[in-house]
Structure formats: C-alpha cells, structure tokens
Amino acid sequence: MKANLPHPFYIYASQFTLESVLEQISILSYHIFCNPDETTKCFAKTIDYKIMINHRIFNGKTNVVQTWIIDLFYDLVAAEDYGDKVITKDETVYLISLYNDFCNIRDKKLNKKDILLFVYGFFGEQKDFQTNFSFKERFSREKYILDILSCKEHSDNTFGINVPGKFIEITGFTTDCYSALVYYILLMFIQNNGVITQSQILSLNNDVFTQENIITVLNQYSATIDNIRNSSLKRQFLYAKPILKIGEKFISANAFLMNALFMNSNYWIIRNDYQRIHSQHFINAFGIYFEMYVEELLNNCLSNDQFSKIPTENDEKRADWIIIIENYTFLVEQKSSLSLLGIK
C-alpha cells in the first residue's frame, strides 16, 4: 500500500522553529513593501535563493507575493509540526517556492463553484494591495463620514450618535490620536523590518505617543498563536489582529494588513462596541451617514437638475438616486456595509 506522504512544503517547514519562520516572512513582507519593484511595486518581488540540502547546493528564484504569504503565515501557525532549527532568509524563500507549488496543487482540487468564489475574493483583496495609495484615501473618506457627517444636522440624521464623543468614551483617545498611534505602530514595524521587541518601542516627548499608549494599542491588535489557531475566522482573523505576540516580541504578519488596520481603525471600534450589546443602531446610522456623503458629492460635482433622490414608498425596495449626465441615465443603489471578514 502506497503511503500518502505530506507535501514537501510541510516536510521542509517541520525542520524549523515556528517563531523564526514567521519572523522571516514578516521581514520579507516589509522588505518588499519598502523596496518597490519597477513593475510589481510593493505588492510582489522575484527573489533568488541559494541553499544546501544533503550537502548539495540548490539555486533558484521564486515569486514572493504579499497576499500569498499571508496565507503562508496562517497555514504555518495552523500546523503543529516544528523543529528546533532557526531558518535563514534563503531557506525562507525556498520554503515559499514549495508553498507556491503546494497551493497550485490544492487549488486545482476546487470545484467550479468554489473557484468562482475564490477568484472573486482573491481579486478583491489583491486589488486593494496593488493600489496601496487607496488605504489612505479610504481612511480619509471614512474619517470624514464619522467625524464630520455624523454630527451634521440633516433631516435623515435622527440617530443621535456623537461618534467623536463615543469614540473617546470607548478608548480614552480622540479619533485623531488613536489613528495616529496605529500609524505610528506601522512606522515602527517599517523601521524594524516587521518585528519589534518591548525595548524597541520608542515613545515621543508628548502626551499621546507614550510607551503606555503605544503598548495599549499594540496589545489591542495582537494575538497569540493559540488565538489564531482557534479562531473561526481562520486566515481572515489576521485582519482583526494582524500582530502576533510571542513573549516580549511583536511580529507583524504583513505590512498591508497594518495598512488595512489603519484604514478602518475608527469604524471598527464603534461598530464592535455596538455589536457587543447586540445593537444595529450604529450600522443603521452609518448607512445614513454614507447617504449624506454621496449627497454632498453630487452637490459638489453636478448641477441640481442632473440628479435627484428617489423617494421611498411603503418600504418598497428602490434605487437611491437617479443621475442624468448628457445622454446617459444612471440608477444608483447605495450600499454602506463592509464585507464580512470571512470573505477573502
């Protein structure tokens, strides 16, 4: 009877300590992020490796892609067979080449329905990562909606949520200070190649960037190996907690995950607080804030005779706006909800 051996990726990975492999993956992510390639920018890079196996030297190269190594990071944490050898950079790149082959084999087993869902989710995530500038753009839009429009008088804004005040009540920080702390942590990871220790946490000479505040926010978004393994969100848990804490060491799973964390940092604080008490109040309010935002955009970009809001009648499902530009008529349906973390 033929034995069903594990893929060479798992056999090779089992030689090394989990901590050293995850550190090297993080270092590679930040290296690519900080050293953009001419064609693939900071999303991917082809990296050479030179390793020795059984006294033979192997040379090669492989594609290291940011979204793929998030999968790798999770799959390594989920596995349980490790060794005591500390992995090198070249050995890590070779491990990634084995993992790429493993994923190719695994993905071929998907049925047609699963493939369509996989490709749809994969494209959505990859598009975000390939347009890195969009993180700051989307952060600015969300911050304007939450800080400004939530407090603006409007006939539809009847929810009575003072988002900036509520945020201080929950966190003890203003939205500005909290976002600045999250971004400062990203900068620390960039400065230290994705891995920082307690002693490398540098405070600044002001009341916001103290070591206590930085560690508070770091811990907010950190998880242990067991936290990641036991989460029902599986790989997508790394969006909510993109920092792995091992002892006094913080390992950033990926530079782009930290960017994504910064982008939605204010929204999720408020949303999670209302979810904690099983309330839809904030989600419903945010839908109105988003409608107010689109209304502002239309007012700023079009004349009054080019657009109008479609009135609702008896809760009947209708589009939200009708826009007429030259010979074209557009019906616009607004959706303010974010996709579930379970969607890749």
Side-chain angles (χ1 to χ4, degrees), residues 321-325 328-332:
W321 300 94
I322 182 167
I323 301 173
I324 301 173
I325 302 176
Y328 298 94
T329 300
F330 300 91
L331 291 175
V332 178

Side-chain angles (χ1 to χ4, degrees), residues 277-335:
I277 58 174
H278 309 290
S279 172
Q280 291 283 314
H281 193 64
F282 172 69
I283 292 176
N284 295 336
F286 189 82
I288 296 299
Y289 304 154
F290 186 58
E291 287 185 12
M292 292 164 60
Y293 174 73
V294 172
E295 185 177 18
E296 277 197 7
L297 288 181
L298 295 173
N299 276 315
N300 290 333
C301 299
L302 301 174
S303 60
N304 290 336
D305 61 348
Q306 289 181 296
F307 70 94
S308 61
K309 188 167 179 59
I310 301 173
T312 57
E313 291 183 13
N314 301 322
D315 294 327
E316 195 176 331
K317 290 185 178 181
R318 297 186 176 188
D320 294 298
W321 300 94
I322 182 167
I323 301 173
I324 301 173
I325 302 176
E326 296 179 350
N327 296 323
Y328 298 94
T329 300
F330 300 91
L331 291 175
V332 178
E333 169 73 19
Q334 284 184 239
K335 293 295 181 185

